[in-house]
Amino acid sequence: MTDLRIRTAVPADLDSVLAFWRTAAEGTSISDDRAGVERLVARDPEALLLAERGGVLVGTVIAGFDGWRCHLYRLAVHPERRRQGIGSALLAAAEERFVRLGGRRADAMVLVRNETAHHAWGAAGYGPEEHWRRWVKPLTDRDVKPLTD
């Protein structure tokens, strides 16, 4: 896997990232548009990590740190490239970023229905915290599908 390159996204990557998520990510988010991803990259230029092989986007993860908590979103690997260590490499890069910033614990947003992801996250050392429940309130009038069941 020496040809795998992990780097931070730049504004020129955003359209291809959004297209990639339509193929590789599970579910949609209210922030899955150009403006939403532009805000992410503008606010935290190191948060969106890309994995490339041969110059082709094969994986992503958002490693957000708000100064208090470390949050992982949009871990996605192209369906034809799964089980090749790409997700593990992205998580390692995200965790290194968190440690460098002073983070103490990472949490991940994982869809309840995404059993494949449950196995991948478990293999990476993450586990569900069943005593927590995510509560959401859309802040726009835009009609979107929810991330969870």
Side-chain angles (χ1 to χ4, degrees):
M1 193 169 55
T2 58
D3 64 333
L4 187 68
R5 177 179 177 225
I6 307 284
R7 66 173 179 88
T8 57
V10 297
D13 295 315
L14 304 188
D15 289 331
S16 48
V17 167
L18 288 164
F20 177 80
W21 285 344
R22 285 190 292 276
T23 300
E26 213 34 61
T28 58
S29 165
I30 195 169
S31 302
D32 285 357
D33 59 24
R34 174 99 186 172
V37 183
E38 281 177 344
R39 277 189 300 277
L40 169 69
V41 172
R43 184 187 175 284
D44 188 351
E46 296 182 357
L48 178 52
L49 301 175
L50 308 181
E52 295 175 327
R53 182 166 277 153
V56 175
L57 181 61
V58 295
T60 67
V61 70
I62 297 172
F65 182 63
D66 60 14
W68 179 258
R69 303 255 166 115
C70 305
H71 302 286
L72 294 161
Y73 310 92
R74 282 296 187 227
L75 176 62
V77 175
H78 192 281
E80 294 174 4
R81 302 295 185 113
R82 293 182 180 156
R83 303 193 54 79
Q84 297 177 15
I86 296 166
S88 296
L90 283 163
L91 285 178
E95 291 166 1
E96 288 170 16
R97 174 175 199 255
F98 292 152
V99 169
R100 190 173 64 248
L101 294 172
R104 299 182 197 173
R105 177 183 68 186
D107 64 51
M109 300 293 298
V110 183
L111 290 170
V112 172
R113 70 177 183 261
N114 191 344
E115 292 292 327
T116 302
H118 297 182
H119 296 291
W121 284 102
Y126 290 77
E129 287 193 345
E130 300 299 337
H131 57 279
W132 291 101
R133 178 77 53 201
R134 181 174 182 221
W135 293 44
V136 273
K137 176 184 176 184
L139 299 176
T140 68
D141 294 332
R142 200 169 128 196
D143 185 29
V144 297
K145 296 177 184 176
L147 282 176
T148 58
D149 297 329

